[in-house]
Amino acid sequence: MSKGKVFVVTSGKGGVGKTTTSASVAAGLALAGKKTVVIDFDVGLRNLDLILGCERKVVFDFIQALKKECKLNQAIIHVKQISDNLYMIPASQTRDKDHLSHEGVKEIISQLVEDFDYVICDSPAGIEKGAKMAMYFADEAIVVTNPEISSVRDSDRILGFLDSSTRLAEEEGKRIPQHLLITRYSPDRVESGEMLSIQDIDDILSIPLVGVIPESRVVLDSSNQGKPVVLNSQDPAGQAYEDVIKRLLGDDVPMRFTEIEKKSFLGRLFGGR
Amino acid sequence: MSGIFTFWRANKKTSASIAKDRLQVLVAHERSANQQPDWMPKMQREILEVIRKYVPIASDDLKMEVRNEGENVSVIEINVDYPIGK
């Protein structure tokens, strides 16, 4: 078996949808038949377990595995209510992030890539140790950005770190592939000039776009229930995440939900909001 | 149809375009600041001390920047503003 691919989901700014994206990307890859593990790097502020609906199965955590207080297998939770191929490693809720040692993380990730097709690293916000560790061993990066001025600025900072502070950059002088994922996009607000457009964001960050997730009430609803948005194939946000998975797997899928939806006459009469 | 609306709005700057303009300026500035070499702040302090032996200048009168000019050449640009006749 060839070695698995390591993705980091990062953003700089908090609250833009890193964990939502990590959960949906991991679940989507698993449902596409890829054996996938997603790691929560947000030590002290564990949340991925909630979004994946497995908070009651947490016994051991990432830091314990790293410090060899348990076996790696014991820290891995099988999220089989979503997919037989989906696994996660929860962050520690009590330990300080100083325990995230370079060697420890390296050892765990190098073991995981032997067993899994995809390893998704859910980065914490900020540019401190947790975020640096989450990106260091990545082969590719997904940068999550809201069409909002502070989020775009922080993403640009993160792109700077991704260029210089990964294993591939330091050891081989290579830049890891970076994918832009825009979340909470509202085409009608873009049209009325109150929100940065995809083009505006691209002009500033200029990295390839892997997806645009439209603003949707289903995202909160999904978190409430512990089911990743990608499972909701009726909703545009879920469908947009499905498209992201296809693009990550190499399919050329056109962007959807980036233009204002033209409602039919009846839709306008009964649709409402 | 949106063409007509765009025309109506043409002379009014939208908040999104203000955001974009602000971001472009800021991001360009931050990128160049982040790409400066590690030794830059120390060198800047030392050069400032040398100049001050001869001319009284404020610290923000000295501006330094390293720029890439082509593949194998970088240029250190040093600009010093100083008041004449003091």
Side-chain angles (χ1 to χ4, degrees):
Chain A
M1 190 177 133
S2 64
K3 282 193 180 171
K5 195 178 256 187
V6 184
F7 273 96
V8 59
V9 177
T10 184
S11 71
K13 191 176 181 298
V16 296
K18 279 182 300 298
T19 300
T20 299
T21 296
S22 297
S24 273
V25 165
L29 287 169
L31 290 167
K34 307 291 179 188
K35 197 177 173 193
T36 304
V37 61
V38 51
I39 311 173
D40 190 348
F41 271 79
D42 204 346
V43 175
L45 294 167
R46 170 162 88 207
N47 274 322
L48 183 65
D49 53 336
L50 280 175
I51 304 301
L52 288 173
C54 58
E55 69 275 12
R56 289 166 63 177
K57 291 190 201 160
V58 175
V59 181
F60 296 106
D61 60 53
F62 189 43
I63 299 288
Q64 284 172 311
L66 207 131
K67 296 190 81 189
K68 298 203 164 76
E69 292 171 11
C70 68
K71 286 183 182 152
L72 176 55
N73 278 340
Q74 292 178 296
I76 300 177
I77 298 171
H78 191 184
V79 195
K80 55 174 176 272
Q81 80 274 17
I82 293 173
S83 163
D84 266 344
N85 290 319
L86 183 61
Y87 298 79
M88 71 92 64
I89 303 181
S92 163
Q93 190 66 314
T94 50
R95 313 270 184 121
D96 194 66
K97 57 183 169 294
D98 291 340
H99 291 293
L100 272 179
S101 74
H102 217 275
E103 290 68 30
V105 175
K106 182 181 181 179
E107 198 183 328
I108 288 195
I109 289 188
S110 59
Q111 286 179 51
L112 292 174
V113 293
E114 298 293 333
D115 276 350
F116 291 88
D117 299 317
Y118 286 93
V119 178
I120 313 293
C121 303
D122 180 21
S123 172
I127 49 174
E128 299 302 317
K129 197 166 186 182
K132 293 268 178 73
M133 278 298 150
M135 73 170 66
Y136 192 80
F137 298 99
D139 298 313
E140 297 192 25
I142 298 172
V143 179
V144 183
T145 305
N146 286 172
E148 191 259 325
I149 193 161
S150 51
S151 175
V152 175
R153 179 202 206 170
D154 289 358
S155 291
D156 189 71
R157 288 279 282 152
I158 281 294
L159 290 175
F161 288 113
L162 285 169
D163 281 345
S164 60
S165 312
T166 66
R167 186 192 63 79
L168 246 75
E170 284 182 8
E171 290 175 11
E172 298 174 38
K174 285 185 192 156
R175 185 172 179 263
I176 64 169
Q178 300 157 352
H179 310 274
L180 178 65
L181 181 71
I182 300 174
T183 55
R184 307 199 68 169
Y185 195 69
S186 298
D188 49 343
R189 299 189 74 184
V190 171
E191 176 77 14
S192 61
E194 45 180 308
M195 180 180 274
L196 291 165
S197 68
I198 299 168
Q199 185 62 51
D200 291 337
I201 299 170
D202 181 57
D203 285 348
I204 289 158
L205 299 178
S206 49
I207 57 167
L209 189 64
V210 73
V212 178
I213 312 298
E215 175 77 56
S216 165
R217 347 183 101 193
V218 161
V219 175
L220 178 60
D221 199 44
S222 302
S223 304
N224 289 344
Q225 301 179 60
K227 292 176 184 167
V229 191
V230 72
L231 301 181
N232 195 325
S233 52
Q234 304 300 313
D235 184 78
Q239 293 167 4
Y241 271 117
E242 284 174 8
D243 290 354
V244 170
I245 307 303
K246 289 179 188 156
R247 291 186 197 109
L248 291 175
L249 292 172
D251 285 356
D252 191 12
V253 190
M255 293 290 164
R256 293 192 275 175
F257 319 114
T258 56
E259 307 287 338
I260 294 181
E261 213 178 311
K262 300 275 185 289
K263 276 192 178 169
S264 67
F265 178 66
L266 284 175
R268 249 180 288 179
L269 273 182
F270 301 112
R273 280 241 151 195
Chain B
M1 195 170 84
S2 71
I4 301 169
F5 289 119
T6 319
F7 176 76
W8 269 94
R9 278 204 311 262
N11 50 359
K12 203 181 161 200
K13 227 169 180 220
T14 63
S15 71
S17 65
I18 295 170
K20 187 184 180 184
D21 292 346
R22 292 173 65 207
L23 269 171
Q24 273 173 327
V25 172
L26 186 67
V27 162
H29 177 77
E30 287 182 343
R31 277 183 198 166
S32 69
N34 287 327
Q35 279 161 12
Q36 294 302 307
D38 295 342
W39 41 260
M40 195 68 159
K42 186 161 184 278
M43 183 163 110
Q44 188 158 356
R45 269 199 309 280
E46 289 177 14
I47 289 180
L48 187 66
E49 280 168 26
V50 173
I51 296 174
R52 277 178 174 167
K53 284 183 187 170
Y54 305 92
V55 194
I57 60 166
S59 55
D60 58 357
D61 289 336
L62 170 68
K63 293 185 180 67
M64 289 173 51
E65 189 188 358
V66 176
R67 280 201 324 261
N68 288 331
E69 305 257 309
E71 271 186 29
N72 299 317
V73 189
S74 288
V75 173
I76 303 177
E77 189 178 280
I78 303 179
N79 278 303
V80 189
D81 293 337
Y82 71 95
I84 303 172
K86 284 193 182 173

